[in-house]
Amino acid sequence: MITGKNYIGKELSSKGSNTYTTFNPKLNSDTEWTFHEATKEEIDAAVNKAYEAFKVYKSFSGEKKAEFLIAIAEEIEALGDPLIEAYTKESGLPEGRAKGERGRTMGQLRAFATFLKEGSWVEATIDTAQPDREPMPKTDLRKMLLPIGPIAVFGASNFPFAFSTAGGDTASALAAGCPVIVKSHPMHSGTGELISSAIIKAAERTGMPDGVFSNLNSSGIEVGQQLVLHPKVKGVGFTGSAKGGTALYKLANDRKEPIPVFAEMGSINPVVALPSALTDKGSDWAKQYAGSIMLGAGQFCTNPGLILGIKSTSLDSFIATLGAEIEPLEPTCMLHPNIHKNYEKGKQELSGQGGTNVVAAYESDVAPNVAQQKVLTVNGSNFLKNPKLHQEVFGPFSIVVRCADAAELEQVLNKLEGQLTGTILGNAEEIKKYDKIVDALQGRVGRIIFNGVPTGVEVCPSMQHGGPFPASTDSRFTSVGTSAAKRWVRPVAFQNWPAAALPDALKDENPLGISRLVDGKHTDAKI
Amino acid sequence: MITGKNYIGKELSSKGSNTYTTFNPKLNSDTEWTFHEATKEEIDAAVNKAYEAFKVYKSFSGEKKAEFLIAIAEEIEALGDPLIEAYTKESGLPEGRAKGERGRTMGQLRAFATFLKEGSWVEATIDTAQPDREPMPKTDLRKMLLPIGPIAVFGASNFPFAFSTAGGDTASALAAGCPVIVKSHPMHSGTGELISSAIIKAAERTGMPDGVFSNLNSSGIEVGQQLVLHPKVKGVGFTGSAKGGTALYKLANDRKEPIPVFAEMGSINPVVALPSALTDKGSDWAKQYAGSIMLGAGQFCTNPGLILGIKSTSLDSFIATLGAEIEPLEPTCMLHPNIHKNYEKGKQELSGQGGTNVVAAYESDVAPNVAQQKVLTVNGSNFLKNPKLHQEVFGPFSIVVRCADAAELEQVLNKLEGQLTGTILGNAEEIKKYDKIVDALQGRVGRIIFNGVPTGVEVCPSMQHGGPFPASTDSRFTSVGTSAAKRWVRPVAFQNWPAAALPDALKDENPLGISRLVDGKHTDAKI
């Protein structure tokens, strides 16, 4: 049942008088749920509980934290159909997507559990003592990653499950040993509350300290700001707009004690179609890209918003096919009227830029909040001189740039800001032939793809979801995949520390059986 | 020979008319060397050369970069006595220290060379394709760390070799594959120029691209600011004051594209003397700590500026012995009149705080720039209410705090800002008995030491030199030890990438023979 209350640890709480409702974009009307915005006192209570919980939770074994994460996945599954109904109501996304994303979210939690059980991720590094070394003896030194403290998580509008309440940021922080305070996304606070109830159940069932998780309702920016400025909050995870992410990043940097903000802010994900891709497989790629642009009403941070090619008749036919393929596709409902309004505004602004031509535009009447797709084309020189065309339009929108030659294409890439992904379509020989283009693209992205589409982000150790600014605020870390846990830890070295008092990961006997760097060698052996 | 010119890549350059000299603190007079401050054009030229050099240097093998680092060590050694003379003249530090630090600097360069040859540090992570996976096939994904671009390095006043021109920041950035532009420290620009000449020789000898290293003279803050704001500079390494480091950090965060700043800003390195340490070994520790406080005229970021104990007669005798041991020690010359002036100012300010008593103070006449040691004592409640007493006084100065009980000692630790190190003196049983104290200390430091002194920072994989803010700007990284290279890289994932075009570290055959994470398992085997 959705109560509209906050979770301050395991306590449901609704002390504030400010309320808001969520919205059903398909019905174009409010849902039946009313939420109590968290008060300053409730925020403070949640952070203080998290701070106290940290003192215990940080020392729990990987096994114990893994049990908790697995229990969360089980409790999410146990929520059954009401959860799927809340999701589809509050997001306008179809049931199939809801179930797929729920599966992904549970899969993520289980992947972190496996990662914790394996345990080597703490980067245990040991240099044993050399008491006879000349001119100075060398003392015993052992280092490992330890959790930093309570983390504030800001969920994404476009992934109510996988990048929200129990999504990658929460799962990775809990895996790292950090309590989490979620600022619920105002577009899907009901879904968030149900998921929160599952986390709280799992926490109680597996003996976690009260305060290991809290969920705060919020319709504006105040709750988030207070969280980021709270001295006991030690890190922030965010998925959303560049504007929101950058604001939090600045806020956190200006604290007396600055804290890390991992904001994943999306990008236009440039795709370079090299000549062979267009001559040999142009219509295949056109079809695949029509689907990729339309996926989830284009509401993905990996949506291909920019396709680059070198002027040729095969580029012309690719563009014509892309237009013919995408135009008749049935447009779908966006997450919220505000997102739809921004999409229409962005689309209109870019369509009005000099030198652009329409490739495809869905123009039949649609229901409210449905995103009509559009594809433009422009030549390289116009694109180069107009930074407006480099901006993300969140929705089923893309621009195909016709570059005069390879040099101009390289120039375009060098003008782009940081990106989550970049894609090369072509053959292996072209990677060599167009090495400057490949190199320019690689220097700007977190993930580079060969012959594929950027949508679809695998959850695995080798995933990199995070690119140079402004794709994300810290390109050295990923928000997807098990490495995401490394955002919430810092190394601590123990010098000459008594054997019995060392954390298990650093003990001579290697009781966890993990892979360690011992005197410069990678090994899972005892010392 | 010291020319007073800048190195813009391999070119000596002196286009500017602003000059400055360095100072010999022992003679209390200028050295014979005059330096040309780098102009805006020279800065720009150095960064542009670094940017071009990066295009080539970033792809060099570990072997090739290792040769370069080893050659730098050799060329530094080949500079012979004139280098040691310049160092002692410009720093006032004795010849033995100069030679020791030179050895450490060459050792560091060689350690990074070994690290590069071993090669596993790039964290190669591979998830092979599963084309038959249901419901969706899994594509091949491989990730590794790649260098980020030109790095600006700001040397430290107190380590003209080990934390300056060819020090840890430079060695780690070059190891990572990033060209370096050094902003020379104005107190030892002559030493810096000699070291630069060795780096340039080594670069030419081992076939490095011009621009892989530049050295810019600067007496004020403008050169540094321009470097940090230059769009082609992608990271900053700094060792120095909290004021300077924080200013650069803010500057870099406010760029259109923020860049990481790794500023190591020092701390007061609290030492907790638990009861058994005072009853059983009080006079031993007093003697050792007298030496640690005096080491290098107290000009170490790991200098023990704060010693905490619980009120007892054994604490009283520890304090008395510390005073008796430290007072007669011969004080030594500081690095520069400005550093000496700041020391005197800080010492005076803290000595004037309510509730402090003098334990020891060297009061005989001394030569100019010589730092007279001082130790104060204060009780816990006075310390708790006066944040001025928590500040670092850079020099041979320390405060012993008499806490009423263990609870007050814990409170004191919880009030402290982030620290590079923390030390526990006691026995193994006390680690358990005083677990809250140990825990509070560990939460505030990068390195925690048992029964030792914080001065002395081993260069090895398990070293952590960097603590929570304001000890450093990013506690997730270290500035000492081979892990320091991880500051200058970011992960890049290659999806479905053609085998032949993959970097060696990610190839199926594992031609580098490195340890990798393949399908979730740590292995150095082929695929």
Side-chain angles (χ1 to χ4, degrees):
Chain A
M1 205 198 71
I2 294 168
T3 67
K5 295 183 181 182
N6 303 282
Y7 273 104
I8 311 301
K10 64 185 180 183
E11 309 296 336
L12 279 168
S13 176
S14 55
K15 297 205 170 132
S17 49
N18 290 345
T19 60
Y20 64 97
T21 60
T22 50
F23 194 84
N24 184 325
K26 272 202 162 159
L27 302 181
N28 202 32
S29 67
D30 284 344
T31 66
E32 65 267 40
W33 303 307
T34 300
F35 300 90
H36 289 264
E37 185 139 344
T39 65
K40 199 173 173 319
E41 290 66 34
E42 285 171 321
I43 298 167
D44 207 46
V47 176
N48 281 321
K49 271 196 172 184
Y51 183 78
E52 291 304 317
F54 179 59
K55 294 182 183 171
V56 181
Y57 187 65
K58 68 176 176 182
S59 310
F60 280 4
S61 68
E63 282 289 343
K64 201 166 162 73
K65 288 183 289 177
E67 270 174 44
F68 177 32
L69 297 181
I70 291 167
I72 297 174
E74 290 166 354
E75 295 295 344
I76 288 174
E77 194 156 32
L79 287 169
D81 290 343
L83 177 66
I84 300 297
E85 281 154 26
Y87 177 108
T88 53
K89 271 189 191 170
E90 291 186 325
S91 71
L93 293 168
E95 193 185 307
R97 158 71 189 270
K99 289 187 169 165
E101 195 183 326
R102 181 180 60 181
R104 178 195 174 98
T105 306
M106 296 189 304
Q108 254 173 197
L109 287 158
R110 292 186 171 120
F112 277 107
T114 306
F115 172 77
L116 288 176
K117 287 178 180 178
E118 197 283 325
S120 304
W121 74 279
V122 297
E123 297 180 6
T125 307
I126 297 174
D127 291 289
T128 55
Q130 297 174 22
D132 303 327
R133 190 183 62 173
E134 293 291 347
M136 296 268 284
K138 185 181 179 186
T139 181
D140 185 279
L141 198 63
R142 301 171 186 232
K143 178 167 78 164
M144 70 178 290
L145 300 174
L146 290 174
I148 55 175
I151 304 301
V153 169
F154 292 70
S157 63
N158 60 339
F159 277 94
F161 288 152
F163 286 85
S164 290
T165 321
D169 284 344
T170 298
S172 60
L174 292 176
C178 297
V180 167
I181 306 125
V182 166
K183 190 210 80 79
S184 180
H185 198 286
M187 293 182 191
H188 47 73
S189 296
T191 308
E193 188 192 326
L194 289 176
I195 295 277
S196 297
S197 72
I199 300 175
I200 294 297
K201 263 196 189 164
E204 294 197 281
R205 176 147 82 78
T206 55
M208 297 296 132
D210 186 22
V212 72
F213 177 83
S214 288
N215 182 52
L216 303 176
N217 293 322
S218 143
S219 64
I221 59 171
E222 296 78 11
V223 171
Q225 285 177 338
Q226 278 183 48
L227 267 180
V228 171
L229 292 175
H230 200 296
K232 288 179 180 164
V233 168
K234 298 300 181 191
V236 178
F238 170 92
T239 308
S241 69
K243 199 180 145 196
T246 308
L248 292 182
Y249 177 69
K250 300 256 178 235
L251 204 63
N253 281 330
D254 288 342
R255 283 168 51 126
K256 192 179 163 231
E257 180 201 4
I259 54 172
V261 172
F262 301 94
E264 190 271 88
M265 305 182 287
S267 61
I268 55 173
N269 303 294
V271 177
V272 177
L274 293 174
S276 80
L278 301 173
T279 50
D280 303 354
K281 294 185 183 167
S283 60
D284 279 4
W285 286 125
K287 202 168 183 168
Q288 278 200 49
Y289 270 84
S292 179
I293 295 166
M294 290 295 284
L295 201 68
Q299 301 168 117
F300 288 120
C301 48
T302 52
N303 193 59
L306 184 68
I307 302 171
L308 309 167
I310 299 166
K311 265 183 197 165
S312 65
T313 53
S314 56
L315 178 61
D316 292 341
S317 25
F318 167 81
I319 294 173
T321 316
L322 177 63
E325 288 286 346
I326 202 168
E327 201 162 276
L329 295 178
E330 198 58 47
T332 54
C333 184
M334 295 194 95
L335 296 156
H336 194 271
N338 290 344
I339 288 182
H340 183 253
K341 203 168 68 191
N342 281 335
Y343 172 61
E344 286 297 331
K345 200 179 134 199
K347 196 170 74 168
Q348 210 150 7
E349 195 183 356
L350 267 65
S351 304
Q353 301 302 310
T356 59
N357 290 300
V358 178
V359 173
Y362 189 94
E363 281 173 346
S364 311
D365 283 349
V366 288
N369 306 318
V370 165
Q372 295 161 300
Q373 63 270 29
K374 191 162 194 176
V375 176
L376 303 179
T377 184
V378 68
N379 65 33
S381 62
N382 278 318
F383 185 86
L384 276 169
K385 66 187 176 206
N386 188 350
K388 281 208 173 133
L389 295 170
H390 306 197
Q391 298 311 305
E392 181 180 9
V393 175
F394 191 69
F397 175 87
S398 198
I399 301 181
V400 186
V401 180
R402 297 173 204 246
C403 300
D405 49 29
E408 192 179 76
L409 202 159
E410 189 194 339
Q411 243 184 308
V412 166
L413 291 175
N414 283 326
K415 273 273 182 179
L416 293 180
E417 294 183 307
Q419 306 286 334
L420 288 171
T421 76
T423 302
I424 298 282
L425 307 178
N427 60 43
E429 290 73 47
E430 284 173 314
I431 299 242
K432 226 177 206 171
K433 183 169 173 198
Y434 294 98
D435 60 341
K436 283 188 177 167
I437 284 175
V438 174
D439 202 51
L441 185 64
Q442 189 204 289
R444 247 150 207 78
V445 307
R447 175 166 56 110
I448 190 163
I449 301 151
F450 183 68
N451 286 345
V453 293
T455 43
V457 182
E458 188 71 36
V459 181
C460 62
S462 58
M463 177 48 69
Q464 176 58 23
H465 193 64
F469 192 90
S472 45
T473 46
D474 195 335
S475 64
R476 294 164 303 170
F477 294 89
T478 177
S479 61
V480 176
T482 41
S483 313
K486 303 223 173 155
R487 296 176 297 169
W488 319 116
V489 288
R490 64 180 180 91
V492 176
F494 296 80
Q495 182 172 323
N496 190 36
W497 206 249
L502 281 169
D504 282 352
L506 298 179
K507 287 195 162 99
D508 275 358
E509 315 86 70
N510 193 15
L512 304 176
I514 58 178
S515 175
R516 312 191 288 188
L517 188 67
V518 179
D519 293 328
K521 303 251 177 287
H522 295 270
T523 173
D524 55 8
K526 297 176 190 190
I527 294 173
Chain B
M1 206 197 72
I2 294 169
T3 67
K5 296 183 180 182
N6 304 281
Y7 273 103
I8 311 301
K10 64 184 181 184
E11 308 296 337
L12 279 168
S13 175
S14 55
K15 297 206 170 132
S17 48
N18 290 345
T19 59
Y20 65 97
T21 60
T22 49
F23 194 84
N24 184 326
K26 274 204 161 160
L27 301 182
N28 203 30
S29 66
D30 285 343
T31 66
E32 65 266 40
W33 303 307
T34 301
F35 300 91
H36 289 264
E37 184 139 345
T39 64
K40 198 174 174 319
E41 290 66 35
E42 286 171 321
I43 297 167
D44 207 48
V47 177
N48 281 320
K49 270 196 173 182
Y51 183 78
E52 292 304 316
F54 180 58
K55 294 182 183 171
V56 181
Y57 187 64
K58 68 177 176 181
S59 309
F60 280 3
S61 68
E63 283 288 344
K64 201 166 161 75
K65 287 182 291 178
E67 270 174 44
F68 177 32
L69 296 181
I70 291 168
I72 296 174
E74 289 166 354
E75 295 295 343
I76 288 173
E77 193 155 33
L79 287 169
D81 290 343
L83 177 66
I84 299 298
E85 282 154 27
Y87 176 109
T88 52
K89 272 189 191 172
E90 291 187 323
S91 71
L93 294 168
E95 192 184 308
R97 158 73 188 269
K99 288 186 170 164
E101 194 183 327
R102 181 181 60 181
R104 178 195 173 97
T105 305
M106 296 190 304
Q108 254 175 195
L109 287 158
R110 291 186 173 120
F112 277 108
T114 306
F115 173 77
L116 288 176
K117 286 178 181 176
E118 197 282 327
S120 303
W121 73 280
V122 298
E123 297 180 7
T125 307
I126 298 174
D127 292 289
T128 55
Q130 298 175 21
D132 303 327
R133 188 183 65 172
E134 294 290 346
M136 296 266 286
K138 185 180 178 188
T139 181
D140 185 279
L141 197 65
R142 301 172 185 232
K143 178 166 77 164
M144 69 178 290
L145 300 173
L146 290 174
I148 55 175
I151 304 301
V153 169
F154 292 69
S157 63
N158 60 339
F159 278 95
F161 289 153
F163 286 84
S164 291
T165 321
D169 284 344
T170 297
S172 60
L174 292 176
C178 297
V180 167
I181 305 124
V182 166
K183 190 208 81 79
S184 180
H185 198 286
M187 293 183 191
H188 47 72
S189 296
T191 308
E193 188 192 326
L194 288 177
I195 295 277
S196 297
S197 73
I199 300 175
I200 294 295
K201 262 195 189 164
E204 294 197 281
R205 175 147 82 76
T206 54
M208 297 295 132
D210 186 23
V212 73
F213 178 83
S214 288
N215 182 53
L216 303 175
N217 292 321
S218 143
S219 63
I221 60 170
E222 297 78 10
V223 171
Q225 287 177 337
Q226 277 183 48
L227 266 179
V228 171
L229 292 175
H230 200 295
K232 287 179 181 164
V233 167
K234 298 300 180 191
V236 178
F238 171 92
T239 307
S241 70
K243 197 179 146 198
T246 308
L248 292 182
Y249 178 70
K250 300 257 178 233
L251 204 63
N253 281 329
D254 287 343
R255 284 169 50 127
K256 192 180 163 230
E257 179 200 4
I259 54 172
V261 172
F262 302 94
E264 190 271 86
M265 304 181 289
S267 60
I268 55 173
N269 305 292
V271 177
V272 178
L274 293 174
S276 80
L278 300 173
T279 51
D280 303 355
K281 294 188 183 163
S283 61
D284 279 4
W285 285 126
K287 202 168 182 168
Q288 278 200 51
Y289 270 85
S292 179
I293 293 165
M294 291 295 283
L295 201 69
Q299 301 168 116
F300 287 120
C301 48
T302 53
N303 194 60
L306 184 68
I307 301 172
L308 308 168
I310 300 167
K311 266 184 197 165
S312 64
T313 53
S314 56
L315 178 61
D316 292 341
S317 27
F318 167 81
I319 293 172
T321 316
L322 177 63
E325 288 286 347
I326 201 168
E327 202 163 274
L329 295 178
E330 198 58 48
T332 53
C333 185
M334 295 195 92
L335 296 156
H336 193 272
N338 289 344
I339 288 181
H340 183 254
K341 204 168 66 191
N342 282 334
Y343 172 62
E344 286 297 330
K345 198 178 136 200
K347 197 170 70 169
Q348 210 151 6
E349 193 182 358
L350 266 64
S351 304
Q353 301 301 310
T356 59
N357 290 300
V358 177
V359 174
Y362 189 94
E363 281 173 346
S364 311
D365 282 350
V366 289
N369 307 317
V370 165
Q372 294 160 301
Q373 62 269 30
K374 191 163 196 176
V375 176
L376 303 180
T377 186
V378 69
N379 66 33
S381 62
N382 279 318
F383 185 85
L384 276 169
K385 65 186 179 210
N386 189 351
K388 280 206 175 137
L389 294 171
H390 306 198
Q391 298 311 306
E392 180 180 9
V393 175
F394 192 69
F397 176 87
S398 198
I399 301 181
V400 186
V401 180
R402 296 172 206 248
C403 299
D405 49 29
E408 192 179 78
L409 203 159
E410 189 194 339
Q411 242 184 308
V412 166
L413 292 174
N414 283 325
K415 273 270 181 182
L416 293 180
E417 294 183 307
Q419 305 287 334
L420 287 171
T421 75
T423 302
I424 299 282
L425 306 179
N427 61 41
E429 290 72 47
E430 285 173 312
I431 298 243
K432 228 178 203 168
K433 183 169 174 200
Y434 295 97
D435 59 341
K436 282 187 179 168
I437 284 176
V438 175
D439 203 51
L441 185 63
Q442 189 203 289
R444 247 151 207 76
V445 307
R447 175 165 57 110
I448 189 162
I449 300 150
F450 183 67
N451 286 345
V453 293
T455 43
V457 182
E458 187 71 39
V459 180
C460 62
S462 58
M463 176 47 68
Q464 176 59 24
H465 193 64
F469 192 90
S472 45
T473 47
D474 195 336
S475 64
R476 294 165 303 172
F477 295 87
T478 177
S479 62
V480 175
T482 42
S483 313
K486 302 225 173 153
R487 296 176 297 169
W488 319 116
V489 288
R490 65 180 179 91
V492 175
F494 296 80
Q495 182 172 322
N496 190 35
W497 206 250
L502 281 169
D504 281 352
L506 298 179
K507 287 195 162 100
D508 275 358
E509 313 86 70
N510 193 13
L512 303 177
I514 59 178
S515 174
R516 312 191 288 188
L517 187 67
V518 179
D519 293 329
K521 304 251 177 288
H522 294 270
T523 173
D524 56 7
K526 299 178 188 187
I527 294 174

